[in-house]
Amino acid sequence: MFPAIPPPKKLTGRSIDFKLKSGWRFDEKKRIFVDPKGGEFTLPRLPKTSRVIYKVPGLARSASKKLSGAERDLQRYMQVILPSPRSTQSVLQAIQSLPGIEEAHLAPEISLPIAKSKR
């Protein structure tokens, strides 16, 4: 078996996957987290051009009452896409410390496959 080859370092930043606690949501326009009672919590300081997105945007914008249990669960998954891998650990710690985060971890590293030559 051949090992995977990592992509070039400047190709992309690493992302952080996280799951909101039940009842929490992220207001994309205001860029704040909202708890079940309407309390608001700001994002930690992120590097410029970082993006915070829902993994399933169509479900995130749907009314929870109309969704199945599995869909409501998927509605809580998000990710922070960083422009470079430099500040990944500090951003991960900041995300993990937010009150509305159930779990957060680094996304798996991507790799490129290696082709075996036909000799």
Side-chain angles (χ1 to χ4, degrees), residues 43-118:
L43 278 169
R45 187 178 175 128
L46 298 174
K48 280 186 176 180
T49 70
S50 296
R51 295 184 298 146
V52 180
I53 60 171
Y54 279 99
K55 285 194 164 190
V56 188
L59 287 178
R61 295 178 186 106
S62 300
S64 293
K65 293 178 182 180
K66 296 181 179 182
L67 300 176
S68 70
E71 289 171 324
R72 281 193 301 276
D73 188 52
L74 283 173
Q75 195 178 38
R76 297 165 44 202
Y77 285 89
M78 299 189 70
Q79 102 185 131
V80 177
I81 301 172
L82 301 167
S84 77
R86 281 194 317 253
S87 58
T88 306
Q89 282 300 327
S90 62
V91 174
L92 174 61
Q93 291 172 349
I95 295 292
Q96 289 171 328
S97 71
L98 291 169
I101 304 303
E102 185 171 304
E103 61 182 73
H105 59 275
L106 295 175
E109 286 193 48
I110 60 170
S111 64
L112 302 171
I114 187 168
K116 186 176 177 182
S117 63
K118 297 179 181 181

